Amino acid sequence: MRRVPDTIDCEEGIIYRVSMLILNKTARVFSNPSKRKIYEYLRSFNFHPGKVFLHKLVLGIETSCDDTAAAVVDETGNVLGEAIHSQTEVHLKTGGIIPPVAQQLHRENIQRIVQEALSVSKVSPSELSAIATTIKPGLALSLGVGLSFSLQLVDKFKKPFIPIHHMEAHALTIRLTNKVEFPFLVLLISGGHCLLALVRGVSDFLLLGKSLDIAPGDMLDKVARRLSLIKHPECSTMSGGKAIEHLAKQGNKLHFDFKPPMQRAKNCDFSFTGLQHIIDKTIMQKEKEEGIEKGQILSSAADIAAAVQHTTACHIAKRTYRAILFCKQRDLLSQSNAVLVVSGGVASNLYIRKALEIVANATQCTLLCPPPKLCTDNGIMIAWNGIERLRAGLGILYDTEGIRYEPKCPLGIDISKEVGEAAIKVPRLKMEI
């Protein structure tokens, strides 16, 4: 057995003084703590020369779509290290995400990205409290890379594994950046998802509505491709959604009258496929009028972009308005200080965000959005979700046998039918944005 020295050197003296503070502020673990007991107690906190970790540390790994990301976060919300590899440029050239290509790029980069996040954080895998990884929902081939790599780490370093639901991570990110208590309403809008849910706890969600077909980000990307905005000198390096937002600033939204979908359906579900088909027909008609071929840029491209963005914003705003009214009617949210959280890639669209601000003001809600870099896919939100689950003691696996990724997976308990049956009429709002 290792002998504990009778005298404590300078470094251990600091440890001893820190330990006394810890012990004084916690339950009396020892009645009269001796130096030997203090020394042994501190070993459980992973003290090392030059660094002191008193908090839980989680490594988060994200590969659900086209970003390979990793981060180390502690339980106070400090981001100790992060790294990300974006595949955007590759997929812009191919006109969309090709799953096998995304898979190969994840395989090529995941080890480097995880190592970079750990290196920046100055945390070794042995010092981690757990490893958290997105296993649902997402692209099957992409999810598989992250899960496989994570399980190798878990097995090698004998760490607990925390499977993460991608949308749960997006929903809880706001609790990393803001002091937000449960319950709150969350709107998740991205290239792959669109849903409204009441967040009652770390893994306690009531699903109020979701997209019945495609996500808003997917639709905006498809419209951008149909308009050939990658050939536009100002938009050549932008994703489809960013290109639409950029070009819309130069257009007149009133030049095209696209009606918001599902106006007669008094529920909180979304739909974007029908709107996309109408826009495609409009673009085809304008190409004939201007005498240009498909693939050339229309003179009215900016106006179409502005009208599409406005219609999308109005559709999302109206469904969100109904969700707030439903939750307040059922006393699921506070009448006076309710919180609406908007996250996901499309949440970084400032025009759509302004439309949601109008809704928040009309319903006496506080609108909160994570910083733009935390709205898109990232490792930080996965690590933070891991911290939330670790603190709550939820879904921590010490045996990973049989764990599988799930490309499709609902979030929480679906009460969308109940929302529809309530048939709440939404007051008209002036969307002066």
Side-chain angles (χ1 to χ4, degrees), residues 258-308:
F258 300 130
K259 301 294 183 187
M262 301 180 70
Q263 291 193 86
R264 293 184 181 180
K266 292 184 173 64
N267 55 33
C268 291
D269 289 327
F270 304 83
S271 175
F272 298 95
T273 298
L275 177 60
Q276 184 203 325
H277 289 331
I278 291 168
I279 294 162
D280 283 349
K281 286 182 180 179
T282 301
I283 292 171
M284 195 181 298
Q285 183 183 333
K286 296 305 291 183
E287 286 170 342
K288 286 181 181 178
E289 288 177 11
E290 293 187 20
I292 64 171
E293 294 180 2
K294 182 179 179 180
Q296 294 179 288
I297 297 174
L298 287 167
S299 63
S300 55
D303 292 337
I304 292 173
V308 169

Side-chain angles (χ1 to χ4, degrees), residues 91-334:
H91 298 306
L92 273 175
K93 292 173 184 174
T94 57
I97 298 171
I98 300 172
V101 173
Q103 179 190 44
Q104 184 57 35
L105 289 170
H106 282 307
R107 283 176 174 164
E108 291 172 6
N109 291 284
I110 190 166
Q111 185 170 349
R112 174 181 63 84
I113 290 299
V114 170
Q115 185 55 52
E116 189 178 323
L118 288 168
S119 180
V120 172
S121 68
K122 294 182 171 61
V123 172
S124 69
S126 62
E127 293 161 343
L128 294 168
S129 305
I131 295 170
T133 304
T134 306
I135 70 158
K136 58 188 176 184
L139 298 177
L141 296 179
S142 294
L143 289 168
V145 176
L147 178 58
S148 176
F149 186 84
S150 299
L151 293 183
Q152 288 175 39
L153 286 181
V154 166
D155 183 58
K156 183 177 180 180
F157 296 101
K158 308 304 177 191
K159 296 296 175 182
F161 181 62
I162 306 176
I164 298 296
H165 191 299
H166 187 74
M167 304 317 289
E168 178 179 300
H170 269 306
L172 297 178
T173 301
I174 198 68
R175 284 166 53 84
L176 170 70
T177 58
N178 298 71
K179 188 176 174 58
V180 179
E181 301 296 332
F182 301 118
F184 60 88
L185 182 67
V186 68
L187 168 67
L188 300 177
I189 41 177
S190 67
H193 307 278
C194 182
L195 62 86
L196 277 160
L198 182 73
V199 189
R200 301 190 299 183
V202 172
S203 65
D204 186 0
F205 291 76
L206 293 180
L207 183 65
L208 306 173
K210 63 183 183 301
S211 176
L212 302 178
D213 35 65
I214 63 175
D218 187 19
M219 183 207 67
L220 293 173
D221 284 345
K222 286 175 177 174
V223 172
R225 282 201 295 274
R226 186 61 185 84
L227 286 170
S228 303
L229 296 189
I230 196 168
K231 295 179 182 177
H232 195 288
E234 294 177 23
C235 306
S236 60
T237 61
M238 297 179 182
S239 66
K242 286 292 181 188
I244 292 287
E245 183 179 10
H246 176 79
L247 208 58
K249 294 172 186 174
Q250 305 166 25
N252 186 338
K253 65 190 178 191
L254 301 178
H255 279 186
F256 293 92
D257 186 23
F258 300 130
K259 301 294 183 187
M262 301 180 70
Q263 291 193 86
R264 293 184 181 180
K266 292 184 173 64
N267 55 33
C268 291
D269 289 327
F270 304 83
S271 175
F272 298 95
T273 298
L275 177 60
Q276 184 203 325
H277 289 331
I278 291 168
I279 294 162
D280 283 349
K281 286 182 180 179
T282 301
I283 292 171
M284 195 181 298
Q285 183 183 333
K286 296 305 291 183
E287 286 170 342
K288 286 181 181 178
E289 288 177 11
E290 293 187 20
I292 64 171
E293 294 180 2
K294 182 179 179 180
Q296 294 179 288
I297 297 174
L298 287 167
S299 63
S300 55
D303 292 337
I304 292 173
V308 169
Q309 181 176 252
H310 180 70
T311 305
T312 302
C314 289
H315 180 46
I316 290 171
K318 187 172 183 179
R319 316 318 274 185
T320 304
Y321 195 171
R322 179 173 288 113
I324 295 170
L325 295 178
F326 174 83
C327 288
K328 289 195 171 189
Q329 190 181 91
R330 301 296 171 94
D331 286 326
L332 297 171
L333 280 176
S334 168

